[in-house]
């Protein structure tokens, strides 16, 4: 299911002959999209730029879609933004092939009305280029597991306390040494 709905392109009286090609550019009216359980917002409409070529038995669509995306940092939960530039590649066959296994990367069909829908191809390209892990900055320190403080804003002191506690604890084999008095 396309996260951008359908993006129909009417080919009537265009791309009639093999080798014919046209360039198409446009913007997608969308304010957000979802990947798995994450929702990303789009402060501006994503833009696509594609070339459609009549390749004989179908229409080859190649190009790029670019978007500025805003989400949430997976480590510190603060806002995180990133750029997407996804490669679009889709093949729309004029007729259902006898041997569909020959099309390893899959295919779609050109409608009877000579309309193709770029919605899936463009949303796949955006999703493919959306990072699996989103970070506010490459070295985001995340949240303290003890108190939940954002460690990018400074040390909350928990890790130092935890170390002190360990030094004092019975689990630390060196704790006993601390109390030894050395006669010199
Ligand atoms: Zn972060
Ligand atoms: Zn803490």
């Amino acid at each position: 299911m396309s996260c951008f709905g359908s993006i129909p392109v009417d080919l009537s009286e265009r791309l009639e002959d093999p080798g014919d090609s046209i360039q198409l550019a446009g913007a997608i009216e969308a304010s957000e999209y979802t990947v798995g359980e994450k929702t990303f917002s789009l402060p501006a409409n994503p833009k696509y730029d594609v070339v459609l070529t009549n390749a004989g038995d179908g229409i080859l669509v190649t190009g790029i879609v670019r978007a500025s995306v805003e989400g949430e940092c997976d480590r510190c939960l603060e806002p995180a933004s990133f750029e997407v530039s996804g490669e679009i590649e889709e093949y729309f066959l004029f007729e259902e092939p006898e041997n569909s296994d020959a099309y390893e990367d899959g295919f779609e069909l050109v409608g009877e009305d000579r309309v193709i829908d770029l919605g899936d191809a463009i949303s796949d390209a955006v999703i493919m280029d959306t990072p699996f892990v989103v970070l506010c900055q490459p070295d985001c320190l995340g949240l303290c597991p003890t108190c939940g403080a954002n460690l990018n804003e400074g040390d909350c002191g928990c890790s130092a306390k935890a170390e002190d506690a360990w030094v004092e604890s019975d689990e630390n084999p060196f704790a006993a040494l601390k109390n030894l008095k050395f006669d010199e």
Side-chain angles (χ1 to χ4, degrees):
M1 182 57 203
S2 160
C3 51
F4 299 134
S6 66
I7 302 170
V9 177
D10 188 352
L11 301 177
S12 20
E13 294 174 31
R14 294 197 284 183
L15 300 174
E16 303 256 310
D17 300 311
D20 285 357
S21 97
I22 53 171
Q23 193 183 4
L24 266 185
I28 304 153
E29 281 192 38
S31 57
E32 59 175 40
Y33 68 99
T34 311
V35 182
E37 290 181 349
K38 291 186 199 172
T39 299
F40 298 101
S41 56
L42 298 162
N45 290 336
K47 291 193 170 72
Y48 63 89
D49 198 338
V50 289
V51 173
L52 283 64
T53 305
N54 182 329
D57 56 358
I59 304 288
L60 179 65
V61 180
T62 55
I64 202 150
V65 54
R66 292 180 207 277
S68 297
V69 184
E70 283 175 4
E72 188 178 73
C73 176
D74 284 324
R75 283 191 202 148
C76 73
L77 312 179
E78 290 294 315
S81 55
F82 54 93
E83 300 292 313
V84 155
S85 94
E87 274 182 52
I88 300 164
E89 189 173 324
E90 188 67 77
Y91 203 33
F92 293 86
L93 290 174
F94 294 124
E95 281 167 28
E96 187 87 43
E98 281 170 30
N99 177 14
S100 55
D101 294 342
Y103 297 88
E104 279 180 25
D105 297 330
F107 61 88
E108 305 251 349
L109 289 174
V110 177
E112 301 254 329
D113 47 5
R114 276 184 79 83
V115 171
I116 60 173
D117 181 3
L118 299 182
D120 282 339
I122 291 178
S123 69
D124 285 354
V126 169
I127 290 167
M128 281 294 290
D129 205 59
T130 297
F132 186 65
V133 175
V134 175
L135 296 177
C136 61
Q137 55 192 40
D139 55 351
C140 171
L141 298 172
L143 300 177
C144 169
T146 308
C147 74
N150 185 341
L151 297 175
N152 299 307
E153 290 165 8
D155 190 353
C156 54
C158 290
S159 63
K161 264 182 253 161
E163 242 165 73
D164 288 350
W166 188 76
V167 168
E168 307 279 345
S169 82
D170 299 338
E171 287 163 46
N172 178 359
F174 301 106
L177 293 176
K178 245 180 85 173
N179 301 320
L180 283 183
K181 294 202 173 69
F182 295 97
D183 296 320
E184 283 179 286

